[in-house]
Amino acid sequence: MQNIERIENTNLCEGIDLSPIFGGKESLRFTDFINNKSDDLLDIFNSIIAPRLYYRNYKIASAGNGRVCLEKGVELKSIKLTKVMKHCESAICFTATIGSEVDKEISRLTHENRLFDAYLIDSMGSMAVENMAEEFWKNMQTRYNTLGQGITIRFSPGYCDWPIIEQKKLFDQLFDAGQTDVTLTDSCLMNPRKSISGIFGIHPLFNEDVPVSPYNPCSDCSKKNCKERRVFLTNS
């Protein structure tokens, strides 16, 4: 097991696209008011975020019968996650946050009845932490590809059939108390609120021993409006 690693990211705002919350670029032309408001709030948002991502590599002891067994005796229960990890030798567990000041700013704006501003800052926060997790995943994909390995899609508690209650295992058993800036409430909500956690597997690149791509549950899911839906990924 590796020591916990920490990454700081200061380029989160470059990937923020607010058009989806206004109906999409094709369906709505932004007014000068919305453009100016968004720019002003983005400057504020950029000044208060404190992006941090923590991760650790764990060996996978086994993956079968709806259970992924990691070192330290940690057992993650999900049929779909087990299928994702079938050919994996180890897994990266991570948690990411943009800090608590965003939550405070949203509360302040709401208290002042500036609900539109609060909504925009809230949306920026959600997009930023998701961007951070996605950028981390892409960087790890590049790193492991150069080592002759691949990675699976990233999976978070609450996705598909992996219960949100399993979040406690990530925080109680996989990340030592006090080593990250993120804590978990009794109801499995993360604090700061704009945080994300998850896992993805590391596997050999496809060859005669691993003849098929890692399983992607989105490939056989009929739910069309899932915001977590991912295209089928390959590491060719």
Side-chain angles (χ1 to χ4, degrees):
M1 179 182 67
Q2 295 179 346
N3 291 329
I4 192 169
E5 301 286 345
R6 170 173 146 167
I7 297 174
E8 297 185 18
N9 190 326
T10 57
N11 298 314
L12 296 180
C13 295
E14 294 180 358
I16 291 180
D17 176 15
L18 293 176
S19 63
I21 67 175
F22 296 113
K25 292 179 179 178
E26 301 301 323
S27 63
L28 182 66
R29 182 173 298 174
F30 288 2
T31 65
D32 288 341
F33 169 78
I34 291 179
N35 280 324
N36 293 335
K37 173 69 71 173
S38 299
D39 289 344
D40 291 343
L41 290 177
L42 194 58
D43 288 340
I44 294 172
F45 177 80
N46 200 29
S47 70
I48 61 177
I49 58 175
R52 303 285 190 275
L53 187 145
Y54 304 87
Y55 71 96
R56 179 177 273 170
N57 189 312
Y58 287 90
K59 295 294 184 183
I60 295 178
S62 64
N65 298 319
R67 288 173 169 79
V68 178
C69 298
L70 306 179
E71 59 181 297
K72 294 183 65 175
V74 179
E75 189 176 83
L76 307 177
K77 299 179 180 179
S78 162
I79 293 174
K80 292 188 175 183
L81 179 62
T82 301
K83 293 173 71 174
V84 168
M85 298 292 179
K86 181 178 179 180
H87 297 294
C88 295
E89 302 166 340
S90 59
I92 298 289
C93 299
F94 70 90
T95 182
T97 185
I98 57 173
S100 60
E101 291 303 313
V102 172
D103 292 346
K104 294 177 183 178
E105 181 66 9
I106 293 171
S107 296
R108 183 183 71 82
L109 293 171
T110 301
H111 181 72
E112 295 177 359
N113 206 33
R114 295 168 59 185
L115 302 184
F116 180 67
D117 292 2
Y119 174 65
L120 287 183
I121 292 288
D122 188 278
S123 298
M124 290 176 187
S126 297
M127 294 176 189
V129 72
E130 180 65 25
N131 287 349
M132 179 162 51
E134 184 67 10
E135 188 65 23
F136 168 67
W137 180 88
K138 290 178 179 178
N139 289 339
M140 297 301 278
Q141 184 180 49
T142 300
R143 176 192 297 187
Y144 280 101
N145 282 173
T146 62
L147 299 174
Q149 297 173 293
I151 64 175
T152 69
I153 63 170
R154 55 185 175 89
F155 225 77
S156 292
Y159 284 14
C160 296
D161 66 338
W162 195 17
I164 190 67
I165 193 69
E166 294 269 289
Q167 187 108 268
K168 290 185 177 180
K169 294 180 180 178
L170 297 182
F171 282 83
D172 295 346
Q173 301 179 54
L174 299 181
F175 290 114
D176 299 330
Q179 285 195 308
T180 74
D181 297 328
V182 185
T183 58
L184 200 65
T185 68
D186 291 339
S187 57
C188 293
L189 296 177
M190 284 179 280
N191 185 28
R193 190 166 60 88
K194 297 305 180 182
S195 304
I196 191 172
S197 68
I199 186 174
F200 53 86
I202 302 167
H203 59 80
L205 287 180
F206 314 128
N207 51 45
E208 62 275 7
D209 296 322
V210 186
V212 296
S213 302
Y215 173 71
N216 182 340
C218 296
S219 64
D220 58 12
C221 177
S222 60
K223 190 175 182 181
K224 302 298 183 182
N225 61 345
C226 176
K227 66 184 181 69
E228 306 298 346
R229 188 174 182 87
R230 290 172 170 78
V231 297
F232 191 73
L233 300 176
T234 60
N235 292 331
S236 56

